[in-house]
């Protein structure tokens, strides 16, 4: 087994080889050495997708074998189910960057992951993704001055992946349609791939949590070039912040292009911040 402690390089395990996984593997391969990060392994549900693109010695066939690869940080970029099945096990050996934070809307899992991080002194990292001002929200929350938080994500209908069929009937020029409005806890199961930004916000706003942070998803056929993320923060004594982020995105893209680079920046932060949850 490689000894990660003797190496100055941070060894990364990538779990999932879709859009984000491929982007991160490419970044680590091309720019990692200069920035002190290297690949420990890549896992994908279907390993055939890895052959030819990832060196054979870096392919992990059985995810339970991650411990044998001397990994410092595991990056989940596939599905909330993997967070549920492996998150606690990962944290008992290594730091863990959760790419699908909507998984944390499951309160039982949320508690288990926090406890595992604390018990093993490993950091549970949450990427801010497309959330602007996440650390500011967290600071406001830490000081006890956060009263309310609302996030609206508006996208072209082709950019949504919903579990129900609320959007199966969209037409090319129908304009704006509010798809869902409610707590982030209610939203996560409806649109697990579209609400990661809101989930990161619910973690930042820990005292409000997934039940207290409000969210809205809006389909808008006018948004053919970008996703829009609006954040409204209400604090004490009339304090308020309203941000509007335009995230360039192609038609049909679930993830805005700026979010990929945001993820890469988040990964470079994961050098260990103790046994706790850390927004990065
Ligand atoms: N935190 C954020 O801001 C943010 C931004 C974008 C995407 N995400 C999340 O990151 C994850 C990856 O995003 P992506 O754009 O690369 O997605 P993608 O669809 O391009 O790739 C997902 C990969 O995971 C695999 N996969 C799907 N379901 C699986 C399952 N149940 N078990 C194991 N593997 C499975 C797929 O085969 C694919 O290789 C998704 O969960 C997405 O919601 C988070």
């Amino acid at each position: 087994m490689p000894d990660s402690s003797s190496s100055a390089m941070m060894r990364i395990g990538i779990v999932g080889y879709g859009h984000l996984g491929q982007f991160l593997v490419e970044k680590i391969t091309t720019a990692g050495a200069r920035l002190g990060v290297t690949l420990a392994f890549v896992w994908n549900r279907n390993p055939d997708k890895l052959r030819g693109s990832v060196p054979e010695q870096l392919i992990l066939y059985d995810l339970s074998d991650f411990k044998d690869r001397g990994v410092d940080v595991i990056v989940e970029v596939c599905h909330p189910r993997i967070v549920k099945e492996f998150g606690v096990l990962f944290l008992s050996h290594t730091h863990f960057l959760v790419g699908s934070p909507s998984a944390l809307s499951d309160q039982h899992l949320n508690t288990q992951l926090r406890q595992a991080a604390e018990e093993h002194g490993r950091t549970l990292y949450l990427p801010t993704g497309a959330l602007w001002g996440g650390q500011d929200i967290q600071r406001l929350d830490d000081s006890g001055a956060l009263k309310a938080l609302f996030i609206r994500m508006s996208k072209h209908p082709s950019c949504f992946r919903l579990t129900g069929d609320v959007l199966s009937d969209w037409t090319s020029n129908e304009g704006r349609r509010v798809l869902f409005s409610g707590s982030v806890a209610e939203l996560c199961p409806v649109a697990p791939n579209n609400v990661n930004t809101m989930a990161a916000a619910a973690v930042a706003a820990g005292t409000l949590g997934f039940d207290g942070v409000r969210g809205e998803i809006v389909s808008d056929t006018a948004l053919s070039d970008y996703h829009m993320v609006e954040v409204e923060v209400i604090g004490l004594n009339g304090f308020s912040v309203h941000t509007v982020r335009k995230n360039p995105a192609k038609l049909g893209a679930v993830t805005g292009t700026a979010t990929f680079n945001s993820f890469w920046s988040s990964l470079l932060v994961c050098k260990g911040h103790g046994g706790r949850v850390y927004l990065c």
Side-chain angles (χ1 to χ4, degrees):
M1 183 199 338
D3 177 8
S4 62
S5 61
S6 63
S7 162
M9 294 291 262
M10 186 163 73
R11 294 174 55 83
I12 314 288
I14 300 288
V15 174
Y17 198 61
H19 291 90
L20 270 170
Q22 289 171 43
F23 171 81
L24 293 175
V25 167
E26 167 80 12
K27 285 296 258 189
I28 295 169
T29 308
T30 55
R34 186 166 50 82
L35 297 164
V37 296
T38 189
L39 273 176
F41 69 81
V42 185
W43 176 88
N44 194 54
R45 180 169 55 173
N46 176 6
D48 292 344
K49 202 173 162 185
L50 301 172
R51 290 195 195 102
S53 320
V54 175
E56 180 62 31
Q57 71 275 18
L58 293 176
I59 298 177
L60 185 67
Y61 287 94
D62 183 342
L63 191 49
S64 314
D65 292 339
F66 73 90
K67 305 179 274 311
D68 304 336
R69 298 296 182 109
V71 60
D72 297 304
V73 186
I74 290 183
V75 181
E76 173 276 319
V77 274
C78 55
H79 194 277
R81 190 182 303 166
I82 293 295
V83 183
K84 188 167 186 169
E85 286 174 18
F86 286 90
V88 169
L89 185 61
F90 288 161
L91 280 166
S92 66
H93 293 271
T94 180
H95 305 303
F96 180 33
L97 177 68
V98 178
S100 309
S102 62
L104 274 76
S105 67
D106 174 340
Q107 194 48 53
H108 179 63
L109 178 63
N110 192 323
T111 306
Q112 278 188 318
L113 290 170
R114 283 171 191 271
Q115 283 173 350
E118 213 171 300
E119 186 182 335
H120 300 285
R122 311 283 183 185
T123 312
L124 175 63
Y125 287 101
L126 286 157
T128 50
L131 177 68
W132 194 255
Q135 265 106 1
D136 298 293
I137 294 169
Q138 196 166 34
R139 277 189 214 121
L140 196 66
D141 188 64
D142 287 345
S143 72
L146 179 66
K147 279 180 66 185
L149 181 59
F150 172 75
I151 303 182
R152 178 184 294 116
M153 299 193 67
S154 307
K155 303 183 184 196
H156 189 271
S158 64
C159 299
F160 281 103
R161 303 284 180 274
L162 306 174
T163 49
D165 60 357
V166 269
L167 198 50
S168 54
D169 59 342
W170 68 276
T171 54
S172 58
N173 57 354
E174 69 170 30
R176 189 174 184 280
R177 196 196 315 182
V178 176
L179 298 175
F180 193 90
S181 195
S183 73
V184 175
E186 291 168 311
L187 259 165
C188 283
V190 180
N193 292 311
N194 296 111
V195 295
N196 289 299
T197 301
M198 295 188 198
V203 173
T207 52
L208 298 173
F210 283 81
D211 288 315
V213 176
R214 313 293 298 171
E216 191 168 280
I217 50 175
V218 177
S219 159
D220 191 341
T221 46
L223 300 182
S224 53
D225 300 326
Y226 59 89
H227 301 163
M228 201 153 78
V229 186
E230 294 169 75
V231 179
E232 283 179 36
V233 184
I234 306 293
L236 292 174
N237 305 318
F239 176 93
S240 72
V241 179
H242 183 193
T243 61
V244 180
R245 171 177 174 145
K246 288 184 177 178
N247 215 10
K250 294 186 183 133
L251 279 179
V254 179
T255 306
T257 44
T259 307
F260 285 88
N261 284 320
S262 167
F263 237 88
W264 172 237
S265 302
S266 296
L267 171 55
L268 296 175
V269 170
C270 301
K271 294 181 176 164
H273 290 80
R276 60 178 167 141
V277 179
Y278 193 91
L279 199 68
C280 60

